[in-house]
């Protein structure tokens, strides 16, 4: 089957776009490797309609079911290459399958640099966070341990001082912090510990603090991760000649979400620069509307 649109990425933006395109009665395929941000976040707290929070896996589950209601097809596949020839995109996957489509939406997202401490997973989105715009409020008046690296971690600690005055920054990788940044930390009474973390302490989803390599326990009620080096998943876009910023985020038209390459759109965290669930939803719908317009006008 040749699809009218293939969406690479089954996170929030990709799912929302699929729902919209399905309602337009287009033949749509979503390819997803199940390794996105939304697959690991246990709770989002700033989404209309979910005052008590909602998990990424739940949104993915109901989003997929919603799209299937309109005939959207889904495949759990890792895309490894894309070529454009004879007015169609040919998608190649790691399982050696090929899919063909007339339009392409890149909703490949980004992945945070999350250290491989075993206890972190169940805490993500519940008591340990990565985005202050999403979850800074969740540390309000709570003792917060920032697990991070150098200036990235230090600046996260400074940002969180808006919500709490009880912050400990553990410079896990012992990277440089600029002198002027240190001065700001000291001014706000933020403790800085230059030592490697040996273990994250948690009771299930409840963060309790960290144990350092020296054996010292640093207690905390909430945690924040700030190591930098997030991976923007735009390599496939680059293969197609899609224009990107220096930080690898994709540049799109503000009105339509189309890239500089004809018939290629992008939406969500991979775009410059959203990184919010609600914005990803909006961009998914926005891209789908213009993909529809291009299909009916062809």
């Amino acid at each position: 089957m040749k699809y009218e649109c293939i969406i690479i990425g089954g996170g929030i933006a990709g799912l929302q776009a699929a729902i919209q395109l399905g309602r337009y009665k287009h033949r749509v395929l979503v390819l997803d490797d199940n390794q996105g941000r939304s697959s690991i976040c246990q709770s989002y707290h700033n989404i209309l309609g979910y005052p008590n929070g909602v998990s990424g896996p739940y949104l993915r589950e109901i989003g997929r079911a919603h799209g299937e209601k309109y005939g959207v097809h889904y495949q759990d596949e890792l895309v490894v290459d894309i070529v454009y020839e004879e007015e169609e995109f040919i998608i190649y996957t790691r399982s050696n399958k090929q899919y063909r489509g007339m339009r392409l939406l890149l909703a490949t997202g980004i992945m945070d640099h999350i250290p491989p401490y075993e206890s972190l997973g169940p805490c993500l989105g519940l008591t340990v966070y990565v985005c202050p715009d999403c979850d800074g409020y969740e540390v309000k008046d709570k003792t917060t341990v920032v697990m991070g690296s150098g200036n990235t971690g230090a600046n996260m600690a400074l940002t969180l001082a808006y919500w709490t005055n009880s912050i400990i920054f553990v410079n896990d990788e012992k990277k440089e912090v600029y002198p002027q940044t240190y001065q700001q930390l000291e001014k706000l009474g933020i403790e800085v510990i230059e030592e490697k973390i040996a273990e994250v302490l948690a009771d299930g989803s409840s963060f309790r603090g960290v144990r350092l390599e020296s054996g010292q326990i640093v207690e905390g009620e909430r945690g924040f991760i700030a190591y930098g080096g997030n991976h923007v998943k735009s390599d496939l876009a680059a293969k197609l000649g899609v224009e990107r910023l220096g930080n690898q985020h994709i540049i799109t038209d503000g009105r339509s979400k189309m890239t500089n390459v004809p018939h290629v759109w992008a939406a969500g965290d991979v775009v410059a620069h959203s990184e919010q669930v609600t914005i990803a939803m909006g961009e998914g719908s926005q891209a789908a509307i213009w993909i529809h317009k291009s299909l009916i006008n062809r």
Side-chain angles (χ1 to χ4, degrees):
M1 176 191 295
K2 181 193 290 188
Y3 293 93
E4 290 178 279
C5 183
I6 294 178
I7 299 171
I8 302 178
I12 305 303
L15 290 171
Q16 185 66 59
I19 290 167
Q20 185 69 29
L21 286 167
R23 289 175 60 84
Y24 284 131
K25 303 188 296 183
H26 291 303
R27 298 185 304 278
V28 181
L29 172 66
V30 179
L31 299 172
D32 185 54
D33 64 0
N34 294 303
Q35 296 295 317
R37 262 181 163 182
S38 58
S39 66
I40 62 174
C41 182
Q42 301 302 312
S43 187
Y44 297 107
H45 301 94
N46 61 343
I47 300 176
L48 177 67
Y50 295 99
N52 297 317
V54 60
S55 78
Y58 174 74
L59 286 177
R60 290 167 64 92
E61 179 184 351
I62 63 172
R64 185 163 177 161
H66 194 167
E68 287 173 342
K69 175 182 174 182
Y70 302 118
V72 175
H73 294 181
Y74 297 86
Q75 292 291 335
D76 296 328
E77 293 274 10
L78 174 65
V79 176
V80 295
D81 199 11
I82 307 171
V83 298
Y84 185 72
E85 58 183 38
E86 297 182 0
E87 299 187 351
E88 67 177 13
F89 296 96
I90 306 173
I91 314 294
Y92 298 89
T93 70
R94 186 165 60 183
S95 64
N96 295 318
K97 293 182 181 178
Q98 295 182 24
Y99 301 93
R100 297 173 181 266
M102 301 166 60
R103 300 291 185 269
L104 181 66
L105 172 61
L106 300 171
T108 42
I110 71 172
M111 180 50 73
D112 302 282
H113 178 186
I114 298 175
Y117 298 113
E118 185 176 353
S119 301
L120 271 181
C123 298
L124 293 174
L126 293 173
T127 55
V128 176
Y129 315 100
V130 298
C131 171
D133 296 314
C134 306
D135 292 313
Y137 180 85
E138 303 306 314
V139 308
K140 186 171 77 74
D141 301 328
K142 297 185 182 299
T143 300
T144 302
V145 178
V146 175
M147 298 164 276
S149 178
N151 285 300
T152 301
N155 285 317
M156 178 65 79
L158 293 172
T159 298
L160 295 175
Y162 179 82
W163 287 280
T164 180
N165 58 10
S166 180
I167 301 172
I168 304 160
F169 166 40
V170 180
N171 190 0
D172 187 21
E173 296 182 343
K174 302 180 185 179
K175 290 190 176 179
E176 178 187 8
V177 176
Y178 295 146
Q180 60 267 35
T181 304
Y182 253 124
Q183 292 174 4
Q184 291 178 281
L185 293 167
E186 291 176 356
K187 183 178 179 179
L188 291 172
I190 296 172
E191 181 181 358
V192 180
I193 299 175
E194 302 275 351
E195 191 173 338
K196 178 71 178 171
I197 295 171
E199 180 185 7
V200 170
L201 306 176
D203 294 331
S205 62
S206 296
F207 176 80
R208 299 300 184 201
V210 299
R211 181 173 61 83
L212 305 178
E213 283 193 333
S214 65
Q216 177 186 350
I217 302 296
V218 180
E219 295 182 344
E221 300 169 273
R222 296 290 185 270
F224 247 91
I225 297 170
Y227 287 81
N230 293 349
H231 174 52
V232 182
K233 298 181 179 181
S234 61
D235 293 344
L236 292 171
K239 288 185 177 183
L240 293 169
V242 170
E243 186 178 4
R244 302 183 295 172
L245 295 174
N247 62 10
Q248 311 308 311
H249 282 279
I250 294 173
I251 299 172
T252 61
D253 175 73
R255 186 183 184 199
S256 67
K257 310 313 297 180
M258 182 184 271
T259 71
N260 63 301
V261 175
H263 308 319
V264 179
W265 283 257
D269 288 353
V270 74
V271 173
H273 194 261
S274 54
E275 300 198 26
Q276 290 285 313
V277 168
T278 49
I279 294 175
M281 286 181 178
E283 289 189 352
S285 288
Q286 190 178 359
I289 289 168
W290 286 89
I291 291 170
H292 169 67
K293 290 178 185 294
S294 79
L295 287 168
I296 62 174
N297 290 331
R298 68 184 185 275

